[in-house]
């Protein structure tokens, strides 16, 4: 049986760690193409054996998540939302922290502190305990294990002190509550940044949700595109989206296929030509025969490619989690050694030995480690946003480290998508100013999208004025005109040599006057960007659906040597795969045809004026069309990652000093609380430094 892609809606995932635990479970079950998107609440995988499905669903539910039929009909209970958990915990944590600043005596009472801490502790256990347990079972302890052990040991230590009335020295309730509340805040921020990316696949499906005008016995009936059957005759008018793939029976039109091919110039379509569902009729109208419908259309195949591309990206294991996987076993080991030495060698008795061992777990509490990544990411994302760069999710910043290739789409990314005359090749003895005058006079009367750009460009140049008596547009061919002297002109698509870069020909009384090459303009800052990338040791690559000669021309003008032209969406995926095997690859594009490649690349970057699908497939959106922000994005990411590493180093250094203090039984609560607070301040301060730091280096 052939492999098929299974999609499940799974609720209850709140962070990257949840995604990792489901990913590992599905890998163990031998499934392929696994995608776990915690923000979109989607889980996808490929299998050739349907009978495995109940077992997979049971496995996911055993991890503590829920598999449901329809996300739209499911709204999670109020208490399951991570934002609500954070608000609930913050309300109880605030008075616990206040007791350190205010002389209110009742806040110092152990029983009051216990009652304030208990609700927060219960929420923390339920929230982090599940992810912690799953990661331990998988053999890779993550940050949540550290948070769970730290908060639990602080709570148990304080509870033992309260029960035995040992006084203030044993009160660490605020530590327990603060750890849980701060890390929940980190989860809220992570989810917020990731939720900005809704599923691009859902957006593509909207492209298919159009109406079609079907001819039945001479009358037109309006039906949904999904009800069109092969063999139906459809009428498509100017401004409509083509409902399904098919062939033109009669009529002609200019069709904008940029979303699929990246080709900037609308394509002229005539009888027997093929049209593709989802493309837009810019000019003209036609009757068409539906040939491919449903899952056979090109758009459906792109949706399929998107799903597979998404599934080919495992979640990034965060730096903090990598650190935690070493740190957790080390701290537990030190705690056990402390207990053993104090009890057997130091003869200190069971209570003292146990309290010293728990003190190690308390002081090594992951407050600073828990804050290391989210604070740096938050400031980094904020700084990027100020520079017009929207980064969706902190793992994008980590995924950019050591980028080796930046792959550019051409149209709309390196070029503006606006047209200008690149070259006019006049026949011998013909005046160039006269040719410009004829073209201006003809194109001023045209509604074609390219005509306006040409007129704007030519107006700035010297030209001889020509007065036309009549102008008429011949759909799919060009413009015919007659001047007041009775001369006949024709300006239309160049048919002589398709490989030639001349796109238009101008005739006067059936004699060729000139050939015209029109092209979309290269963005002015492009060449400088390519030079900067090369200086950073990054290889720029051009990957486009556009014609080979156009791609090579653009590439040579801006200094790109690696060029892949005339590539369809599935071919673009293959090119991205080849580069990914050689090193970290970023893709920058703006069309629906780029969407699968944007998803498959290590990081996809889209322009703000791109198609909605490209914006949603990308992990980064450049809010201004200035390509310099690509370099800025790489620099901010690099320094954000550096800040995370510095923060983690500080959190480790603090623990290296603090753990022996606790192990030898010198844990004074005020010293402990001060050290912990100081550690947090250093981490937050270092992250805030990123706001003003010079990142150009």
């Amino acid at each position: 049986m052939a492999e098929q892609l299974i999609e499940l809606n799974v609720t209850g995932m709140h962070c990257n760690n949840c995604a990792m635990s489901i990913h590992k479970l599905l890998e163990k079950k031998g499934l392929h193409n696994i995608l776990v998107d915690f923000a979109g609440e989607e889980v996808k995988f490929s299998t050739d054996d349907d009978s495995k499905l109940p077992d997979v669903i049971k496995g996911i539910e055993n991890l503590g998540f829920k598999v449901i039929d329809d996300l739209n009909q499911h709204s999670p209970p109020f208490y399951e939302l991570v934002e609500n958990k954070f608000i609930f915990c913050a309300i109880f944590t605030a008075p616990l922290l206040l007791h350190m600043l205010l002389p209110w005596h009742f806040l110092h009472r152990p029983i009051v502190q216990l009652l304030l801490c208990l609700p927060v502790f219960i929420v923390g256990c339920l929230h982090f305990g599940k992810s912690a347990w799953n990661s331990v079972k998988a053999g890779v302890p993550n940050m949540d294990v550290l948070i769970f052990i730290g908060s639990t040991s602080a709570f148990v230590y304080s509870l033992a002190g309260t029960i035995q009335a040992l006084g203030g020295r044993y009160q660490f309730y605020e530590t327990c509550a603060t750890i849980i509340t701060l890390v929940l805040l980190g989860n809220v921020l992570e989810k917020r940044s990731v939720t900005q990316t809704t599923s691009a696949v859902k957006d593509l499906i909207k492209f298919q949700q159009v109406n079609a005008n079907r001819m039945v016995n001479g009358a037109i009936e309006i039906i949904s595109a999904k009800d069109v059957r092969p063999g139906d005759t459809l009428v498509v008018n100017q401004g409509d989206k083509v409902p399904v793939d098919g062939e033109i029976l009669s009529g002609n039109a200019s069709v904008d296929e940029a979303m699929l091919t990246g080709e900037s110039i609308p394509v002229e379509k005539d009888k027997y030509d093929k049209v593709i569902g989802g493309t837009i009729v810019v000019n003209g109208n036609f009757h068409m025969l539906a040939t491919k419908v449903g899952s056979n259309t090109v758009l459906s195949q792109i949706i399929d490619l998107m799903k597979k591309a998404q599934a080919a990206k495992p979640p990034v294991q965060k730096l903090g989690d990598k650190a935690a996987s070493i740190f957790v076993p080390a701290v537990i080991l030190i705690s056990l050694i402390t207990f053993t030495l104090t009890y057997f060698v130091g003869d200190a008795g069971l209570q003292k030995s146990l309290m010293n061992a728990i003190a190690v777990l308390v002081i090594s509490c992951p407050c600073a480690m828990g804050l290391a990544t989210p604070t740096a990411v938050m400031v980094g994302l904020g700084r990027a946003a100020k520079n017009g760069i929207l980064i969706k999710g902190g793992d994008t910043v980590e995924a950019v480290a050591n980028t080796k290739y930046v792959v550019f789409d051409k149209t709309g990314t390196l070029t503006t998508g606006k047209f200008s005359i690149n070259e006019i090749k006049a026949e011998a003895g013909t005046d160039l100013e006269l040719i410009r005058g004829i073209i201006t006079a003809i194109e001023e009367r045209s509604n074609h999208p390219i005509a306006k750009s040409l007129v704007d460009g030519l107006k700035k140049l010297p030209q001889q004025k020509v007065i036309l008596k009549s102008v008429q547009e011949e759909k799919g061919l060009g413009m015919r005109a007659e001047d007041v002297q009775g001369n006949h002109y024709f300006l239309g698509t160049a048919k002589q040599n398709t490989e030639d870069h001349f796109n238009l020909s101008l005739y006067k009384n059936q004699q060729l006057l000139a050939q015209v090459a029109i092209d979309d303009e290269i963005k002015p800052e492009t060449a400088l960007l390519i030079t900067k990338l090369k200086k950073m040791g990054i290889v720029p690559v051009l990957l486009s659906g556009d014609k080979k000669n156009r791609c090579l021309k653009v590439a040579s003008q801006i200094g790109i040597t690696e060029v892949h032209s005339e590539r369809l969406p599935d071919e673009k995926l293959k090119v991205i795969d080849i580069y990914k095997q050689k090193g970290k690859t970023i893709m920058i594009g703006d069309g629906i045809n780029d969407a699968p490649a944007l998803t498959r690349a290590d990081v996809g970057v889209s322009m703000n004026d791109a198609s909605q699908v490209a914006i949603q497939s990308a992990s980064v959106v450049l809010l201004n069309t200035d390509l310099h922000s690509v370099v800025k994005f790489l620099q901010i990411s690099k320094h954000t990652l550096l800040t995370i590493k510095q923060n983690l180093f500080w959190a480790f250094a603090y623990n290296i000093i603090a753990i022996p203090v606790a192990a030898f039984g010198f844990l004074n609560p005020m010293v402990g609380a001060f050290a912990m607070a100081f550690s947090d301040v250093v981490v937050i301060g270092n992250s805030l430094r990123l706001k003003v730091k010079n990142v150009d280096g």
Side-chain angles (χ1 to χ4, degrees), residues 311-372:
K313 279 176 84 170
V316 176
Q317 192 184 7
K318 300 247 173 77
L319 245 165
D321 289 329
K322 284 179 186 164
S325 63
I326 304 159
F327 188 69
V328 172
V331 169
I332 293 171
L333 188 65
I334 295 168
S335 176
L336 290 172
I337 292 169
T338 302
F339 175 78
T340 311
L341 291 179
T342 318
Y343 186 67
F344 293 107
V345 180
D347 250 0
L350 182 65
Q351 184 193 341
K352 174 82 175 135
S353 307
L354 204 56
M355 289 312 250
N356 279 12
I358 296 177
V360 169
L361 296 173
V362 174
I363 199 84
S364 69
C365 113
C367 229
M369 282 189 79
L371 289 172

Side-chain angles (χ1 to χ4, degrees), residues 466-467 469 482-487 489:
V466 176
I467 299 167
K469 191 165 72 177
E482 187 184 345
D483 66 14
V484 286
Q485 278 93 29
N487 293 306
Y489 299 97

Side-chain angles (χ1 to χ4, degrees), residues 174-307:
E174 74 284 339
T175 302
C176 169
T178 307
I179 297 169
I180 291 166
T181 307
L182 284 177
V183 181
L184 277 173
L185 174 62
N187 277 355
V188 170
L189 298 173
E190 183 183 13
K191 192 159 186 180
R192 282 261 166 96
S193 61
V194 179
T195 311
Q196 289 167 338
T197 145
T198 57
S199 170
V201 172
K202 287 176 189 156
D203 253 50
L204 269 179
I205 290 166
K206 281 185 199 152
F207 267 88
Q208 296 179 304
Q209 293 166 349
V210 292
N211 286 334
N213 304 319
R214 181 165 65 183
M215 288 283 288
V216 182
N217 303 327
I220 290 178
E221 61 171 0
I222 297 172
I223 58 166
S224 167
K226 64 174 184 286
D227 295 328
V228 174
R229 295 288 164 261
D232 284 352
T233 301
L234 309 175
V235 179
V236 187
N237 299 314
Q238 189 167 317
D240 286 356
K241 272 190 188 134
V242 178
V244 293
D245 296 7
E247 290 176 13
I248 295 180
L249 295 170
S250 63
N252 48 46
S254 302
V255 181
D256 180 355
E257 293 187 342
M259 65 165 242
L260 276 161
T261 59
E263 175 73 76
S264 36
I265 301 172
V267 184
E268 303 301 333
K269 300 281 186 181
D270 222 321
K271 192 172 179 181
Y272 305 127
D273 283 342
K274 287 185 165 54
V275 284
I276 300 167
T279 54
I280 299 164
V281 178
V282 183
N283 213 331
N285 44 56
F286 53 81
H287 285 67
M288 64 175 276
L289 181 73
T291 54
K292 292 179 181 170
V293 301
S295 60
N296 294 322
T297 62
V298 172
L299 200 54
S300 291
Q301 283 158 9
I302 290 187
I303 291 172
D304 210 40
L305 283 175
M306 282 285 308
K307 289 177 179 174

Side-chain angles (χ1 to χ4, degrees), residues 507-683:
Y507 293 87
K508 179 182 181 182
N509 301 325
Q510 295 180 343
Q511 291 290 313
L512 183 67
L513 265 193
Q515 287 176 283
V516 184
I518 59 169
D519 232 327
D520 50 354
E521 300 161 2
I522 295 171
K523 289 181 181 173
E525 71 277 7
T526 309
L528 184 62
L529 163 73
I530 300 302
T531 312
K532 277 189 178 175
L533 288 176
K534 285 179 177 171
K535 268 190 194 156
M536 293 165 80
I538 293 168
V539 179
V541 180
L542 180 60
L543 172 62
S544 175
D546 218 340
K547 298 276 185 294
K548 185 178 180 179
N549 55 348
R550 280 199 210 143
C551 290
L552 289 171
K553 190 175 172 194
V554 168
S556 65
Q557 281 176 292
I558 58 177
I560 293 180
T561 50
E562 300 200 20
V563 180
H564 305 266
S565 56
E566 301 183 25
R567 300 297 166 115
L568 293 169
D570 57 330
E571 294 169 324
K572 285 190 174 188
L573 273 188
K574 286 172 192 153
V575 174
I576 292 288
D577 278 340
I578 291 163
Y579 281 108
K580 272 181 78 175
Q581 281 163 10
K582 294 195 267 183
K584 281 272 178 74
T585 303
I586 292 178
M587 165 84 190
I588 304 178
D590 73 329
I592 287 176
N593 62 318
D594 300 318
L598 286 169
T599 308
R600 177 71 66 90
D602 290 302
V603 171
V605 178
S606 153
M607 301 297 188
N608 187 36
D609 53 359
S611 71
Q612 199 55 29
V613 172
I615 287 174
Q616 307 218 327
S617 313
S619 342
V620 179
V621 180
L622 305 179
L623 297 176
N624 49 32
T625 49
D626 177 4
L627 278 168
H628 282 320
S629 41
V630 174
V631 173
K632 202 74 173 164
F633 158 61
L634 291 170
Q635 289 168 335
I636 290 171
S637 297
K638 177 182 149 191
H639 283 274
T640 304
L641 197 60
L642 188 66
T643 305
I644 293 171
K645 285 177 179 171
Q646 289 166 346
N647 288 350
L648 287 171
F649 172 78
W650 169 257
F652 270 116
Y654 151 78
N655 278 302
I656 288 163
I657 298 161
I659 287 172
V661 172
F664 289 115
F666 302 130
L667 181 62
N668 177 307
M670 288 322 287
V671 174
F674 174 75
M676 218 173 280
F678 180 66
S679 160
D680 294 350
V681 167
V682 171
V683 165

